[in-house]
Amino acid sequence: MSTSRRQFLQYLLAASALTACAPGMRASSGEGRASSKKKILVLGGTGFLGPAFVTAAQARGHSLTLFNRGKTRPHLFPDTEKLQGDRDPNKGEGLKALAGRSFDAVLDTSGYYPRMVRASAELLAPNVGQYVFISSVSAYAKNDTPHADETAATATLADPTVETMGKNYENFGGLKRACEEAVEKTLPGRATLVRPGYIVGPEDGSDRYSYFPRRFEQGGEMLAPGSPSDPLQIIDVRDLAEWLVLMIENNTTGTFNAVGPEKPWSMGEMFAACREVTGKDTKLTWVPGEFLLKNGEDGEGDLPIWAPAFGAYAGMHLRSNARAVRAGLKLRSPVITTRDALAWFKSQPQERRDKPRAGLSPEREAELLSLWAKVQGQQG
C-alpha cells in the first residue's frame, strides 16, 4: 500500500463524520462556564469531532450555530440553532444561510477542498474573529522523521484545481494543505490550523482503536503488530474538543499538531491498558513489522492504526505536540480512553457489534500467526 493510502486513513480519523455525540465532557480549563460567552459557528457538527466540540462548548456557556446539509444525524442538539446549506457554493443554496451572519469564531470540521473552504472563509471573513480549521497530519509531505514539528515540509498538489482524492487518495494531504493556505490567505492572523492524527474514543464509529481492547477481551492467542516499543499516537476526541474550545476562548492562532498522549506511548503500553481494562490474560504473539509488511499488513488494511516504526513510517506516530501542549492541550490517561472506547462499542446493538468496521478477521489473524510460526520454525 502507498503512503497516500495511509494518509487517507488518517483523514478518516481526523475529519470523519461517522458518529454521534460523545458523552462525559469536561471543562478544558478552569471550573464551570467560560467568563466570556462566545458565538461560535460549526461547519459540520453532527459527525464525530463536531458533536464532541458542541457538547464541550455548550458546557462552557457558549452559543452554538451549526451549518451542514442536514443529512447526518439531524436529530442531534434539538435546542441548538441549525442552518442548512452546502459547502459547495455552486450546489443548491450553497452558503447563503451564512450571508450577513457574524460570529466570534468558526470551527471548520468539514473542509476537504480548497475552493469550498475559500468560499466559506471569504464569506465569513468580514464578520468572524477567528477561523479554526481542522486539517490533518497528512498535510505533511513525509512521515519519516521522528519528533518533527509544525515547521516540517508540507504536501503539495500536482494540479491545484483537483477536486478528487485520487484513485489511491494520493491528493488528500495536498488538498488539506491547500485548504489551510486558503484560510491563512483569507484571514491572515486570525487562522488556527489544527493537525490531528488518529482521533479515538467513545463514539468513534470507525472501530479502529476499539479493535485492540475488544479483540484482547476475547482471549486466546492474539497477534500483536511490530514490537512492544513501537510508538503509538492517539488523541481522545473529548480532549481535542475541549482544547479547541480553549483555543477559541483564548483566541489562540497558529498551526498545531493535535496529537497525544503528552508523553510518548507504545504498543506495549497500549496492550497493558487493554489488559488492565479487560482483566483478561490474553497471550500476545509479537509479529515483526518487516514480516507484516511483506505479507500485506502495514496499518492500512486489516491492522488499524499501527505503523512500522522504521523507514518511511518512522515518524508517523512520533509527531511533536509540544506547541499544542504549551497552548493548553490536556490529555487524559490512554487507559481511560481505552476503557471508554471499548464500553461504547459494547453498548451498540448486537447487529452492529457483529460487524466491526476495522481489525483482523479471525481467519486472517490465524493465517498470519500460522505463517509467522512457520518462519520461526524454519529459523529454529
Side-chain angles (χ1 to χ4, degrees):
M1 296 269 186
S2 65
T3 301
S4 58
R5 174 61 178 157
R6 178 181 301 285
Q7 292 175 330
F8 176 62
L9 291 181
Q10 291 177 313
Y11 138 70
L12 289 177
L13 287 170
S16 66
L18 295 173
T19 50
C21 175
M25 298 296 124
R26 302 189 317 257
S28 57
S29 66
E31 297 290 337
R33 295 177 175 269
S35 58
S36 178
K37 182 178 178 180
K38 293 204 172 189
K39 291 175 59 180
I40 305 172
L41 170 68
V42 181
L43 301 179
T46 56
F48 177 36
L49 174 58
F53 173 83
V54 173
T55 302
Q58 290 181 335
R60 297 279 292 163
H62 301 297
S63 175
L64 278 292
T65 297
L66 311 185
F67 174 86
N68 52 55
R69 294 177 299 173
K71 294 183 178 181
T72 301
R73 291 181 246 317
H75 63 280
L76 289 180
F77 310 115
D79 298 325
T80 299
E81 181 184 29
K82 298 174 183 178
L83 304 176
Q84 194 164 322
D86 200 290
R87 293 301 304 265
D88 189 338
N90 299 328
K91 289 185 178 180
E93 294 298 306
L95 301 167
K96 290 182 181 179
L98 297 177
R101 295 295 300 270
S102 62
F103 302 92
D104 296 305
V106 55
L107 175 69
D108 188 342
T109 68
S110 58
Y112 306 116
Y113 299 106
R115 175 179 64 85
M116 300 175 198
V117 171
R118 186 177 302 107
S120 60
E122 290 178 348
L123 176 66
L124 294 166
N127 300 306
V128 70
Q130 179 185 10
Y131 198 113
V132 182
F133 179 72
I134 303 301
S135 183
S136 167
V137 292
S138 294
Y140 292 109
K142 296 181 179 180
N143 293 306
D144 58 354
T145 304
H147 312 297
D149 63 15
E150 291 82 357
T151 64
T154 51
T156 58
L157 292 169
D159 177 6
T161 66
V162 68
E163 289 194 1
T164 64
M165 293 297 170
K167 183 178 180 181
N168 296 310
Y169 301 97
E170 63 272 13
N171 297 329
F172 177 71
L175 284 168
K176 273 297 188 183
R177 177 55 189 149
C179 289
E180 293 180 354
E181 291 173 339
V183 175
E184 288 179 308
K185 292 178 181 178
T186 307
L187 297 100
R190 291 183 283 160
T192 304
L193 308 179
V194 180
R195 295 171 178 166
Y198 286 103
I199 309 174
V200 303
E203 303 288 345
D204 177 12
S206 76
D207 298 341
R208 289 182 177 88
Y209 185 71
S210 64
Y211 162 71
F212 292 102
R214 62 183 165 80
R215 170 60 187 89
F216 197 93
E217 190 172 46
Q218 293 170 8
E221 181 183 13
M222 179 178 180
L223 186 151
S227 73
S229 62
D230 284 358
L232 178 63
Q233 281 188 322
I234 57 172
I235 186 168
D236 192 300
V237 66
R238 298 165 292 185
D239 293 334
L240 177 56
E242 292 162 10
W243 177 69
L244 290 171
V245 175
L246 179 65
M247 297 290 276
I248 289 174
E249 290 178 353
N250 294 337
N251 194 29
T252 304
T253 58
T255 304
F256 301 87
N257 291 334
V259 295
E262 184 172 350
K263 296 180 180 179
W265 212 40
S266 68
M267 293 298 293
E269 290 172 301
M270 186 273 291
F271 279 115
C274 291
R275 191 178 304 277
E276 179 178 339
V277 167
T278 65
K280 297 291 185 178
D281 193 25
T282 299
K283 176 186 176 182
L284 296 178
T285 296
W286 290 94
V287 180
E290 293 85 351
F291 174 87
L292 292 172
L293 283 176
K294 183 179 179 180
N295 287 276
E297 293 296 335
D298 58 359
E300 298 165 355
D302 298 327
L303 269 173
I305 295 184
W306 169 81
F310 51 82
Y313 307 109
M316 187 168 177
H317 281 291
L318 285 173
R319 290 278 172 192
S320 171
N321 64 1
R323 183 178 294 181
V325 170
R326 288 196 298 270
L329 178 61
K330 304 294 183 183
L331 299 154
R332 70 195 69 200
S333 165
V335 176
I336 295 175
T337 300
T338 303
R339 179 199 67 195
D340 294 350
L342 177 61
W344 177 81
F345 182 84
K346 291 170 68 174
S347 73
Q348 299 308 293
Q350 185 64 50
E351 60 182 21
R352 169 70 174 84
R353 286 180 280 137
D354 289 341
K355 296 180 179 179
R357 296 165 180 163
L360 292 172
S361 68
E363 296 78 14
R364 177 59 173 157
E365 182 182 30
E367 177 188 13
L368 288 170
L369 287 171
S370 177
L371 288 171
W372 175 238
K374 289 179 181 179
V375 169
Q376 288 183 301
Q378 293 169 358
Q379 293 175 346

